[in-house]
Amino acid sequence: MNTYNPIVALLVFFGVILILYFIFNPKKGLFFKYLKARKETEKTAIEDVLKLLYHDPKTSISTIFDELDFSHSLLLESIDTMLETGLVKKEHELFSLTKEGDEYALRIVRAHRLWEKYLSEKTGFHKTEWHSRAEKKEHELSGEEVEDLSTLLGNPRYDPHGDPIPTKAGQIPEKKGMLLADLPILNFGKIIHIEDEPTSIYKQILAKHIHLHSQVYMKEISENRIVFESEGEQFVLPPIVAKNITVISLDKADVVETDTLRLSNLENKQKATIIGVSKECRGENRRRLLDLGFVKGATVSIDLLNPLGDPKAFLIKGTAIALRKDQAVKILITKA
């Protein structure tokens, strides 16, 4: 008995065509989406290896495996590609960058640090998010977009952590300063860099409201702790955390913050004069504080204490303004 049905056969035929269309469509097909995603992943792996070798020259394959979150097979494939294209070289089982690889890596570093600068200046993202977001964006920006971004930001020389931003030509300012623990006792310094990796240590520094550009006065250095004063507060850090902070030494003539306090330290019934908003406060957050009246020379006092401690209401120019501690620490004052 012949059960052939031409209508069913036609429907099956068109069904197969439709499935093949969804799989192999040159722009939206699943197969081409897979190829595109794989190509992007391979590009990201190559660029992450280049950046790792830029920061840590002469690196072993085991270190690359440990540091980067890609499969071993993809990393090996990426390294083979870089060896073939002359981006890296291998000597005594250690990998390092060639001149071409160094130039490529600097372009990635430039994109990363410019995007962090953009996030700090133009958005409200918390500083703990800047690095991870820039880690993704650095692979997406074209060369033209990077230069447009640099122009938008005024061609900055340093990112918000104090790291130098390579120029378009691949030049990079020489790093200056010393580790915080190397600042002699009873000497003044200024924080010029706070390393944002590892994240766990960076978060400890942020939790203590230690800021870039703040002046410090070293009080104690030991194997167990580093003690210093800054903006009217005393800070105690374990050496492993202090290693992430870089300072420059200041002569006494350059010290301008000996009487400077943070607004968060103002006590009830005290009045103070605002010196300014810390350089650590950027973008929209800075403009908001200035618009609220926290400008140099203004008189401020506590209007209302919060039983829970945060936020507090401050009286400025006849208006009560509530600020959280993480906002008040960025306003510098001197007692009236």
Side-chain angles (χ1 to χ4, degrees):
M1 180 178 178
N2 188 359
T3 59
Y4 174 76
N5 187 325
I7 295 177
V8 173
L10 191 62
L11 289 174
V12 171
F13 173 76
F14 281 114
V16 171
I17 294 297
L18 187 62
I19 291 172
L20 292 174
Y21 173 81
F22 280 118
I23 294 176
F24 295 105
N25 181 289
K27 292 185 178 180
K28 299 181 180 179
L30 297 177
F31 178 70
F32 289 96
K33 284 184 177 180
Y34 164 77
L35 290 180
K36 181 181 179 182
R38 178 169 177 79
K39 186 176 180 180
E40 290 175 350
T41 301
E42 291 172 350
K43 176 177 178 289
T44 299
I46 287 173
E47 292 178 348
D48 280 357
V49 172
L50 289 173
K51 198 168 65 167
L52 174 63
L53 294 178
Y54 172 77
H55 292 296
D56 189 10
K58 296 185 178 180
T59 300
S60 67
I61 189 64
S62 59
T63 300
I64 294 174
F65 286 162
D66 291 341
E67 292 292 329
L68 300 180
D69 190 22
F70 296 98
S71 68
H72 290 185
S73 60
L74 177 58
L75 287 171
L76 288 172
E77 182 181 328
S78 300
I79 290 171
D80 285 341
T81 299
M82 288 185 284
L83 286 169
E84 292 173 3
T85 55
L87 294 175
V88 302
K89 56 187 177 182
K90 182 179 180 182
E91 296 176 350
H92 307 296
E93 301 304 317
L94 297 177
F95 296 93
S96 59
L97 296 175
T98 62
K99 180 177 181 296
E100 292 77 10
D102 188 70
E103 291 172 352
Y104 193 156
L106 279 172
R107 292 197 296 270
I108 303 303
V109 172
R110 174 170 168 78
H112 180 101
R113 292 178 180 174
L114 280 171
W115 193 252
E116 284 193 323
K117 186 72 172 178
Y118 172 80
L119 292 175
S120 70
E121 297 284 350
K122 304 295 185 180
T123 75
F125 289 113
H126 192 270
K127 60 184 69 177
T128 54
E129 298 183 64
W130 297 343
H131 181 74
S132 59
R133 290 181 176 275
E135 284 277 283
K136 179 180 179 181
K137 195 68 176 181
E138 67 190 25
H139 304 295
E140 300 173 355
L141 292 170
S142 67
E144 183 178 352
E145 288 172 331
V146 169
E147 297 318 310
D148 289 343
L149 181 62
S150 181
T151 301
L152 173 67
L153 297 171
N155 299 309
R157 297 184 63 198
Y158 295 91
D159 75 3
H161 306 294
D163 283 311
I165 299 174
T167 66
K168 182 180 179 180
Q171 298 173 330
I172 188 165
E174 183 181 354
K175 285 190 175 182
K176 299 180 180 180
M178 67 186 84
L179 295 179
L180 177 63
D182 293 331
L183 182 67
I185 295 175
L186 305 183
N187 274 247
F188 290 93
K190 183 172 75 171
I191 298 175
I192 61 169
H193 177 252
I194 299 177
E195 179 57 49
D196 59 347
E197 292 185 290
T199 304
S200 58
I201 289 181
Y202 183 53
K203 287 183 176 180
Q204 290 183 56
I205 295 173
L206 295 184
K208 290 182 175 292
H209 302 291
I210 297 172
H211 300 151
L212 203 66
H213 307 300
S214 296
Q215 293 187 2
V216 301
Y217 178 68
M218 185 60 68
K219 296 189 68 177
E220 178 186 333
I221 301 174
S222 70
E223 294 182 358
N224 300 318
R225 65 180 197 167
I226 310 296
V227 183
F228 64 95
E229 292 180 351
S230 179
E231 297 172 350
E233 294 188 21
Q234 179 169 286
F235 298 92
V236 181
L237 296 178
I240 192 172
V241 175
K243 283 175 63 177
N244 276 37
I245 300 175
T246 303
V247 301
I248 56 172
S249 180
L250 293 178
D251 295 329
K252 287 187 177 181
D254 298 323
V255 177
V256 296
E257 298 183 3
T258 53
D259 298 323
T260 299
L261 302 173
R262 295 173 173 181
L263 182 58
S264 56
N265 292 327
L266 187 65
E267 298 177 1
N268 195 26
K269 297 183 180 180
Q270 288 184 333
K271 289 187 177 182
T273 301
I274 293 177
I275 296 175
V277 178
S278 169
K279 292 181 180 179
E280 175 70 11
C281 187
R282 307 175 179 89
E284 292 295 331
N285 293 327
R286 184 181 188 86
R287 287 188 287 273
R288 180 175 179 274
L289 290 176
L290 294 175
D291 289 343
L292 289 172
F294 293 95
V295 296
K296 184 176 181 179
T299 300
V300 62
S301 61
I302 293 178
D303 183 61
L304 184 64
L305 290 172
N306 187 333
L308 300 178
D310 201 29
K312 294 179 182 177
F314 296 93
L315 187 65
I316 185 164
K317 296 184 177 181
T319 303
I321 305 293
L323 295 179
R324 302 185 308 274
K325 182 177 180 180
D326 64 347
Q327 295 172 304
V329 295
K330 296 172 184 175
I331 300 173
L332 305 179
I333 61 171
T334 182
K335 290 182 181 179

